[in-house]
Amino acid sequence: MKNLRVIAFTHKHFELHDLGRLIVDCEELEGRLSKLKHELAIPELFYLGTCNRVEFVFYTPEELTDEFVKQVLIAMKFDFSDDLLKTFVEGGSRYQGIDALQHMFRMSCSLESLVVGEKEILSQVRRSYEQSRKDGLTGDFLRLMMDRLVITSKEVYTRTNISRNPISVVSLAYRKLRSLKLPEQPRILVVGAGETNQNFAKYLSKHKYQNFAVFNRTLERAKTFAAELKGKAFTLEDLETYDKGFDILVTCTGAANAVVNKDLYSKLLNGEEDRKIIIDLAVPHDIDKEIIQQFPVHYIEIGSLQQEAENNIQERYGELEHAGKIIDENIKEFLPIVKQRRVEVAMREVPNTIKEIKSFALNEVFANDVGKLDPEAKETLEKVINYMEKKYIKVPMVMAKDILIQHTTID
């Protein structure tokens, strides 16, 4: 357990637009993480990037020194100035051992989310881990941790009221949208077909909005998403020539820079001058700040939701203690599981070793004596040896498990 490490950059210590600098495009993620794993000789790792947190989870004996954190950020090829690199190195939260495990459980149960009780974080953690597993970046320990983490999170959501009437970033944005005066059937442009936009569009579709145009980097994904909304699909490049106007612009892509600049926005207006609604759920923002400054808009973005999220935390504060106790119970149950698994891995070669000893004894050491036995005696000898072989394989493994389980500490 002492080798579990977490480096966390979250909304608690960084502005959301700064966190956006740590978001890695999905097409580059495998290559960057593989490079990190190789250069720093990290046995297991995965990366989590959401709208309000970026976390690196490691299983490694390396201490989380300033130098190690710096090497992680450099290996990930983030384009930072020296000052910004120093800011991230000094500002990230670091967890080791049991503290790291406690953090992972609390984070996945949404106790540390921007909006406490939002269930999206568990899905995000699971997908991030699963992608790293497929890419060959994880191993036995992180697998065990994820299994228990999922069990714990589901238990927290079931046994507490922490997720009752959940208010996620997406639902907060939708509530703000509904507070504005909307046309009867607004024209809605959706830029990006990722999970956040899909979740937001589900709110709109559920309330009978139908006039959707979906733009995405890959047309196939746009078509799939648009079909669900009964809308039309386009590529991102089609934004340049789209001339149907809009009432609501919803955007969330993984782009490193603004997707909609002032010139493109002017084209999308197609001569219309009324106040539009922009919902920018991306980190970093997809909407250039000049648009907000120069055009009449109702602008809804993640940062503006923080105060409402804080109010939500206060409302649900009474459930945090209950959830914390459930997490502690699960950690207590998890430690013996890790110990048992360590024994299983350590003693994996015991059966093969005993079989080799048996074969050497029969075919080398006592070969002449065995050769003098009649068939019935040989059969009896074989039965006795096979019986002892099974017992000698089982007994030490059971004893070792019992000893480790009863031990009070774990490495």
Side-chain angles (χ1 to χ4, degrees), residues 162-178:
I162 201 165
S163 62
R164 179 177 291 179
N165 299 320
I167 304 175
S168 65
V169 168
V170 167
S171 65
L172 282 170
Y174 179 72
R175 289 188 180 193
K176 279 202 168 187
L177 173 65
R178 292 290 294 172

Side-chain angles (χ1 to χ4, degrees), residues 209-408:
Y209 294 101
Q210 299 176 348
N211 195 352
F212 292 96
V214 177
F215 298 82
N216 192 59
R217 180 174 51 195
T218 57
L219 183 58
E220 285 304 312
R221 189 165 184 178
K223 287 181 177 179
T224 301
F225 187 18
E228 296 176 4
L229 301 174
K230 298 181 176 60
K232 297 180 180 179
F234 304 88
T235 66
L236 279 180
E237 289 75 13
D238 292 329
L239 280 170
E240 290 282 349
T241 56
Y242 188 78
D243 60 0
K244 306 299 182 184
F246 70 97
D247 300 297
I248 302 172
L249 172 60
V250 182
T251 180
C252 183
T253 72
N257 301 303
V259 172
V260 182
N261 58 30
K262 183 176 67 172
D263 292 339
L264 176 56
Y265 187 77
S266 296
K267 293 178 183 178
L268 291 173
L269 288 175
N270 198 32
E272 298 176 8
E273 298 181 354
D274 58 316
R275 185 180 296 272
K276 304 299 183 181
I277 299 171
I278 298 177
I279 302 170
D280 188 350
L281 301 177
V283 178
H285 292 152
D286 282 337
I287 303 298
D288 193 299
K289 61 183 179 181
E290 288 187 346
I291 295 172
I292 314 306
Q293 296 168 351
Q294 299 181 23
F295 293 88
V297 298
H298 293 290
Y299 184 54
I300 300 171
E301 48 86 29
I302 289 177
S304 67
L305 306 176
Q306 284 184 323
Q307 185 58 52
E308 292 179 60
E310 290 173 5
N311 293 338
N312 183 57
I313 289 175
Q314 294 303 316
E315 293 173 5
R316 301 184 182 190
Y317 186 78
E319 293 299 304
L320 295 181
E321 183 177 356
H322 186 189
K325 290 180 179 179
I326 294 173
I327 289 173
D328 290 341
E329 292 170 2
N330 275 272
I331 288 178
K332 185 176 180 180
E333 293 175 4
F334 176 65
L335 297 184
I337 294 174
V338 177
K339 294 178 181 180
Q340 290 182 41
R341 181 57 181 165
R342 286 178 59 200
V343 172
E344 292 170 1
V345 172
M347 303 192 71
R348 189 175 285 164
E349 295 302 315
V350 169
N352 290 334
T353 301
I354 291 179
K355 290 181 185 296
E356 290 173 1
I357 294 173
K358 166 190 168 183
S359 177
F360 185 75
L362 291 176
N363 299 315
E364 299 290 339
V365 179
F366 300 107
N368 292 334
D369 296 325
V370 173
K372 296 176 182 178
L373 299 177
D374 59 63
E376 184 175 347
K378 286 183 178 180
E379 182 179 354
T380 300
L381 177 62
E382 187 72 22
K383 288 180 180 180
V384 171
I385 292 177
N386 287 340
Y387 174 81
M388 295 184 67
E389 175 188 340
K390 292 178 181 178
K391 291 299 181 181
Y392 273 103
I393 290 174
K394 181 179 179 181
V395 171
M397 297 184 75
V398 171
M399 291 177 64
K401 284 183 180 180
D402 289 341
I403 292 171
L404 274 179
I405 291 172
Q406 293 170 14
H407 204 272
T408 56

